[in-house]
Amino acid sequence: GQQVMQIPQYQHVQEGEDFTTYCNSSTTLSNIQWYKQRPGGHPVFLIQLVKSGEVKKQKRLTFQFGEAKKNSSLHITATQTTDVGTYFCAGPKRSSNTGKLIFGQGTTLQVKP
Amino acid sequence: GAGVSQTPSNKVTEKGKYVELRCDPISGHTALYWYRQSLGQGPEFLIYFQGTGAADDSGLPNDRFFAVRPEGSVSTLKIQRTERGDSAVYLCASSPTGVNQPQHFGDGTRLSIL
């Protein structure tokens, strides 16, 4: 079935270092969404990408959607301790008009101060 | 305004018991989703409501799981004859109308089956 995969599963960085997580879908996606889940918290929507090759920035976060609309990445510049959490990408189920999302397994970021 | 509210926040029960988990979505949101999240995994889709009807229940693992949304607002996820493998965090999310929209999640119900 349709799958969304993320790498790496875990990343430990020193505060101030950069961080990147990669997301790959087994099928072409109409759009991709990114969520952040803090330890003990719930997923919080960050951004949605729709267009092929789209790049969006939110302060230190840069999101990219691949040209083939099958992969995406999230890059954080100069990480801070507030960036700690698990980052999930999610894409809609193919040929579905229900908004059902298929989530990756997430990348958990630890930042050492 | 108020976010998605889920109750209880924690539920511990014995194998074989029946449980009900409640979700109160953001006011005015017609789309409501239930997901299940196990440790170290992403949310796994269970069921989607558009208004009062279950538009997609393809994620329900078996017929022990059932959900309702009788008035198009509050939803209840019901699990019969619980098994230890049902232990997980059950997340509810809502969005204004559904397709291709950001989903707003509640804090979840942590269900533990002993």
Side-chain angles (χ1 to χ4, degrees):
Chain A
Q2 182 179 351
Q3 289 186 317
V4 175
M5 294 147 285
Q6 281 184 257
I7 56 169
Q9 188 173 2
Y10 298 99
Q11 185 85 55
H12 296 249
V13 301
Q14 197 72 39
E15 188 171 24
E17 292 182 337
D18 292 356
F19 160 77
T20 304
T21 173
Y22 299 91
C23 176
N24 289 285
S25 170
S26 59
T27 62
T28 302
L29 299 171
S30 60
N31 68 88
I32 194 157
Q33 298 181 18
W34 284 90
Y35 291 79
K36 177 183 178 181
Q37 186 171 25
R38 287 200 161 97
H42 58 269
V44 175
F45 173 80
L46 294 177
I47 208 158
Q48 178 175 265
L49 304 170
V50 178
K51 298 176 184 176
S52 169
E54 188 171 14
V55 178
K56 285 189 177 180
K57 293 190 176 184
Q58 288 180 350
K59 298 183 180 178
R60 295 178 294 103
L61 277 61
T62 302
F63 303 83
Q64 188 164 6
F65 201 10
E67 294 289 342
K69 301 184 76 173
K70 291 183 72 174
N71 60 289
S72 181
S73 64
L74 158 58
H75 179 82
I76 302 178
T77 304
T79 54
Q80 299 175 359
T81 54
T82 53
D83 296 325
V84 164
T86 300
Y87 293 84
F88 293 100
C89 62
K93 176 91 169 85
R94 188 173 186 170
S95 303
S96 166
N97 62 352
T98 66
K100 165 184 176 179
L101 291 176
I102 310 293
F103 280 80
Q105 72 269 42
T107 296
T108 298
L109 172 64
Q110 296 279 12
V111 179
K112 288 176 276 189
Chain B
V4 176
S5 175
Q6 290 188 248
T7 54
S9 54
N10 284 284
K11 177 70 176 179
V12 181
T13 192
E14 293 179 341
K15 177 173 177 278
K17 298 292 188 183
Y18 168 84
V19 296
E20 288 191 351
L21 312 179
R22 176 190 167 107
C23 172
D24 200 343
I26 292 173
S27 179
H29 281 194
T30 61
L32 185 146
Y33 303 83
W34 283 99
Y35 292 86
R36 178 168 68 176
Q37 187 174 27
S38 300
L39 197 62
Q41 301 296 317
E44 177 191 8
F45 171 82
L46 295 176
I47 188 168
Y48 159 70
F49 286 91
Q50 181 57 253
T52 60
D56 184 345
D57 64 358
S58 61
L60 295 178
N62 51 60
D63 61 6
R64 295 186 298 105
F65 288 75
F66 189 70
V68 295
R69 194 185 185 199
E71 298 178 359
S73 178
V74 171
S75 176
T76 304
L77 178 66
K78 308 179 181 193
I79 311 174
Q80 297 177 319
R81 304 183 304 280
T82 51
E83 299 177 358
R84 292 199 178 88
D86 299 334
S87 297
V89 175
Y90 288 81
L91 293 165
C92 177
S94 71
S95 65
T97 57
V99 180
N100 296 331
Q101 293 181 326
Q103 297 183 12
H104 303 266
F105 284 82
D107 286 335
T109 294
R110 183 175 298 278
L111 177 64
S112 300
I113 308 299
L114 304 179

